[in-house]
Amino acid sequence: MKVFNDATIRKNLKNFEIFSLATSKELTEIEISLYKRTYRKGQILFTAGDPRERIYLLLNGYIKLEKTNESGTMLYGDFIKPYTLFPYGGLFKDLEYHYTAYSLTDVELYYIPTKRFEEILKNNTRQLIHVVEHLSSILRLHESRLQAITNSNASDRVIQVLAFIMHDLGISKNKEIFVECPITTTEIARLSGTSRETVSHVLNQLKRERIVSFENKHIFFHKPDFFFQAGK
């Protein structure tokens, strides 16, 4: 569905970091190229190998990015939270998506044709620089994750993954941190490269010590300081 000139749309766009400093003229240029869609929980936005035709701007809900090999082993996994643009990787180069994206919850989003988005970036140095800076941040984050996971034992890897989840998706509430994105023990096991049994063992220990708790697949971090060092 094509979206139309609306103050709400411009307000929404301003909540995306890449557009936070955009002028009214620049926002109008983006706005006229936007389409709006909703997806129900579990629906696929795109799969690895699909033509890279759209850039997405998530408004509400959560998206999971995932890439697996032929045996079903996960090679890459990440979560997308509200007011995040994705995918960044492959701009100006890739013709296909390299991973699958599906909705973990009901979601609402805008999308813009990839070619149009790339044209806008080519004509706007400030926004292009922002994309390059964000790609550098993503690279540093993934290097940090890889180092933590490859240098840790199974239990430590679970804690490292929880730390990354807290940093990436957490919402501060009264000195605690709440993760609204629904995350299962199976997903934590896949992200940490461990078994569900190991994840359950670590989580039960953390719950006994009142470090974390779970409610309807939502995570409450009662002692965030425990994870701050782990996530660095």
Side-chain angles (χ1 to χ4, degrees):
M1 180 178 69
K2 197 78 170 65
V3 298
F4 301 97
N5 192 347
D6 189 313
T8 301
I9 297 171
R10 296 189 182 185
K11 183 179 178 181
N12 284 337
L13 288 175
K14 281 283 192 177
N15 286 324
F16 289 84
E17 187 180 356
I18 187 174
F19 303 129
S20 61
L21 299 177
T23 65
S24 295
K25 181 180 179 180
E26 290 168 344
L27 289 176
T28 299
E29 185 180 21
I30 297 161
E31 181 184 336
I32 62 177
S33 302
L34 288 178
Y35 294 80
K36 189 174 184 179
R37 278 207 63 178
T38 58
Y39 290 84
R40 303 293 290 178
K41 178 182 177 181
Q43 281 191 281
I44 293 176
L45 283 71
F46 55 82
T47 61
D50 283 350
R52 197 175 185 281
E53 297 176 337
R54 299 174 178 176
I55 300 296
Y56 295 86
L57 295 87
L58 183 61
L59 296 172
N60 296 301
Y62 292 88
I63 299 291
K64 175 75 181 294
L65 304 180
E66 187 172 288
K67 182 175 183 178
T68 58
N69 59 20
E70 294 181 356
S71 66
T73 301
M74 190 168 67
L75 303 176
Y76 171 79
D78 206 354
F79 301 96
I80 303 297
K81 61 185 177 181
Y83 295 110
T84 301
L85 181 148
F86 70 98
Y88 275 92
L91 284 171
F92 306 109
K93 179 183 177 182
D94 293 347
L95 300 178
E96 300 176 346
Y97 295 111
H98 293 294
Y99 37 75
T100 296
Y102 64 91
S103 53
L104 286 172
T105 64
D106 292 348
V107 303
E108 181 182 22
L109 53 75
Y110 298 138
Y111 73 82
I112 183 171
T114 300
K115 289 184 178 179
R116 180 63 187 133
F117 183 67
E118 291 175 347
E119 288 172 359
I120 291 172
L121 290 182
K122 288 177 181 178
N123 295 319
N124 191 313
T125 304
R126 184 176 66 249
Q127 289 180 356
L128 181 58
I129 290 174
H130 174 87
V131 168
V132 173
E133 290 175 342
H134 191 74
L135 282 170
S136 296
S137 298
I138 292 174
L139 179 59
R140 286 196 300 271
L141 176 62
H142 288 173
E143 287 175 343
S144 176
R145 288 180 176 178
L146 181 61
Q147 182 179 15
I149 290 176
T150 55
N151 293 339
S152 305
N153 61 41
S155 296
D156 287 342
R157 292 202 300 273
V158 174
I159 292 174
Q160 292 282 354
V161 166
L162 289 171
F164 289 129
I165 289 171
M166 185 187 77
H167 282 281
D168 291 349
L169 305 174
I171 301 168
S172 295
K173 282 190 174 183
N174 300 322
K175 297 183 179 180
E176 297 184 340
I177 294 179
F178 169 60
V179 172
E180 188 176 26
C181 178
I183 299 175
T184 65
T185 55
T186 299
E187 287 171 330
I188 295 173
R190 297 183 74 187
L191 288 168
S192 58
T194 61
S195 65
R196 288 184 60 188
E197 290 75 15
T198 298
V199 173
S200 296
H201 174 76
V202 173
L203 293 180
N204 287 335
Q205 180 64 32
L206 294 175
K207 286 188 282 188
R208 283 194 295 270
E209 297 176 8
R210 289 293 298 164
I211 294 174
V212 301
S213 64
F214 285 76
E215 184 177 333
N216 296 325
K217 299 180 183 178
H218 300 156
I219 310 177
F220 293 84
F221 292 86
H222 304 297
K223 298 179 181 178
D225 288 347
F226 177 85
F227 296 95
F228 280 131
Q229 188 60 41
K232 293 181 179 179

